[in-house]
Amino acid sequence: MRRWIPYTLLVVSFLILTYVTLDRYISDEGPMVISQTSQTSGNNSKNVKIGGPFTLVDHTGKKVTEVNYTGAYKLIFFGYTFCPDVCPTAMQTVSDVLETMGSKGEKLQPLFISIDPDRDTPEILASFLENFHPKIIGLTGSQEQIRNVSKSYRAYFAKVQEQNEESDDTYLMDHSSSIYLMGPDGEFIKIFSHGAPAQKLANELQSIL
Amino acid sequence: MKSKLVKAMAFAIAIMFFAFPSWAISYTSGNIVVSDPFARATAGPARVGGAFLKIHNNGNQTEHLVAIVSSISDQASIHQSLEVNGIMKMRPIDSLEIPPGETVVLKPGSYHVMFMGLKGRLKKGTSFPIRVVFKSGARVNINVPVLGPGAKSADPKR
């Protein structure tokens, strides 16, 4: 009978070890690709390249590339104007950050890149942005251009197919909600997650800029 | 004697001002109290809009928010914003539970009233009526003020 004790102990400790390992593995290495890893280390840009050249149209209808914004620290958000919750919240946060930072924020260039180019024409972007900080630039483009830019930023977006709706103009989009901070030469610096308060962003940006 | 009364009234009014700021509006119907509603102004051509509010259940039964009735849009529903691995998703929900004695807050990043097919632009400074409908049959008619497009709470100062 005694002989079973060490064996049982071994099995139990093995089970505990497996559980602990799995638990760690699952919570740390989940499907989260960029937002989590890059939040923990700002140098992640060396491993996963984020960002790159793009050709888009701004909210005044002018064709632009990444070169237009060289020299500025860019705060980039991917969203769409038909979004009633997350996107206006993010733009309000960015507006508050610019407001809070005052002259220090002059080095910042916020870019709102539409992931819904079918609906977001330059005019619609302009009308969406007119109520936020005037420095925010809206960018849109062809489906292909938007696919390319979001791919280079590893930003995810997908149209949600409504089960009961015929294809009208009220569809929803799933999209990455993070704000990317890119350096003056387009180098990736870090990602801020959605919901970070404006004051916290402003403080962090003060120390980086 | 008269001046005492005036003083007492002035004091009462002052208390009311401090205790109930002008933006703290609430509507009661039976056991349900709906408060602090606000909608976000929409961009010119956008045909969707969002509104937020608080619902408190004073009763001892769970209430279920099941519908929003409004004439400002073709459809109104309750949506939930969910962040899943850095991806923001927004989905309609059929019913929102308000447990007895609790307050459920519809706020940015969580639940919101979603208006689809808006008949006109929601302009800052205006307001519109909606009816908040519960499974129990309770219904609360409220007036929703339109705040800025990035408003995060019913308090205009924030």
Side-chain angles (χ1 to χ4, degrees):
Chain A
M1 199 62 187
R2 283 262 175 88
R3 280 189 303 166
W4 293 106
I5 295 173
Y7 182 71
T8 315
L9 274 175
L10 195 72
V11 170
V12 168
S13 46
F14 177 75
L15 283 175
I16 292 173
L17 195 73
T18 312
Y19 176 78
V20 170
T21 315
L22 272 181
D23 192 51
R24 275 253 177 92
Y25 179 79
I26 288 166
S27 56
D28 288 356
E29 306 282 330
M32 174 87 70
V33 190
I34 42 164
S35 22
Q36 208 173 50
T37 44
S38 39
Q39 261 164 4
T40 47
S41 73
N43 300 325
N44 207 50
S45 51
K46 289 180 183 78
N47 313 325
V48 185
K49 195 179 176 307
I50 293 173
F54 59 76
T55 303
L56 295 165
V57 180
D58 76 7
H59 66 270
T60 65
K62 190 177 81 181
K63 186 185 148 189
V64 294
T65 70
E66 75 290 350
V67 179
N68 291 65
Y69 311 111
T70 299
Y73 283 86
K74 290 151 286 270
L75 277 178
I76 301 180
F77 180 81
F78 291 86
Y80 66 118
T81 70
F82 282 64
C83 157
D85 179 352
V86 174
C87 311
T89 301
M91 287 307 98
Q92 188 61 48
T93 301
V94 170
S95 301
D96 293 345
V97 165
L98 291 172
E99 205 69 32
T100 310
M101 292 183 70
S103 60
K104 197 99 200 268
E106 278 167 20
K107 289 186 206 163
L108 283 171
Q109 177 54 66
L111 300 175
F112 177 92
I113 302 181
S114 171
I115 42 82
D116 183 18
D118 288 350
R119 288 185 297 192
D120 286 340
T121 60
E123 297 76 38
I124 288 182
L125 277 177
S127 138
F128 171 74
L129 291 173
E130 74 188 11
N131 295 296
F132 298 103
H133 197 284
K135 217 173 163 189
I136 304 173
I137 292 177
L139 299 175
T140 186
S142 65
Q143 279 285 2
E144 199 195 340
Q145 287 170 329
I146 294 301
R147 258 201 314 275
N148 289 341
V149 66
S150 59
K151 207 171 158 190
S152 75
Y153 279 84
R154 322 262 159 162
Y156 169 89
F157 70 94
K159 188 170 167 175
V160 182
Q161 299 297 340
E162 285 261 332
Q163 54 285 11
N164 51 349
E165 284 307 302
E166 68 278 15
S167 64
D168 60 359
D169 66 348
T170 58
Y171 57 87
L172 306 175
M173 303 290 296
D174 288 348
H175 60 99
S176 300
S177 55
S178 314
I179 298 176
Y180 297 74
L181 175 64
M182 307 298 288
D185 295 313
E187 69 280 17
F188 171 76
I189 298 176
K190 74 171 290 172
I191 282 177
F192 298 105
S193 59
H194 179 73
Q199 191 58 54
K200 187 175 169 260
L201 290 189
N203 292 345
E204 281 206 42
L205 288 166
Q206 297 272 23
S207 64
I208 295 170
L209 265 57
Chain B
M1 193 67 194
K2 204 177 168 189
S3 73
K4 249 188 187 170
L5 190 70
V6 171
K7 266 187 195 164
M9 278 173 70
F11 185 67
I13 290 169
I15 290 276
M16 277 170 69
F17 265 102
F18 283 108
F20 306 101
S22 57
W23 48 267
I25 309 159
S26 80
Y27 301 84
T28 306
S29 172
N31 289 326
I32 295 169
V33 183
V34 177
S35 61
D36 297 345
F38 71 99
R40 283 174 165 177
T42 57
R47 291 194 67 228
V48 295
F52 308 89
L53 44 87
K54 294 175 188 168
I55 304 169
H56 180 75
N57 180 1
N58 275 324
N60 46 24
Q61 305 269 319
T62 297
E63 290 280 354
H64 301 263
L65 168 64
V66 290
I68 300 289
V69 181
S70 170
S71 58
I72 62 157
S73 62
D74 297 337
Q75 279 187 52
S77 46
I78 303 135
H79 274 213
Q80 183 177 22
S81 295
L82 290 166
E83 190 172 358
V84 184
N85 299 324
I87 310 296
M88 222 58 197
K89 294 168 186 275
M90 188 162 66
R91 296 289 182 271
I93 55 168
D94 292 334
S95 153
L96 179 60
E97 269 190 24
I98 325 288
E102 289 190 21
T103 303
V104 171
V105 182
L106 282 75
K107 62 181 180 196
S110 166
Y111 298 104
H112 59 268
V113 178
M114 176 85 170
F115 301 105
M116 285 191 158
L118 278 177
K119 289 167 186 165
R121 182 175 185 170
L122 297 181
K123 289 198 189 88
K124 189 177 170 178
T126 62
S127 67
F128 57 89
I130 63 171
R131 174 176 289 174
V132 186
V133 182
F134 297 84
K135 199 174 156 189
S136 64
R139 45 199 59 209
V140 188
N141 293 322
I142 70 166
N143 199 41
V144 183
V146 182
L147 306 182
K152 291 176 185 177
S153 85
D155 179 356
K157 292 186 288 295
R158 287 182 59 210

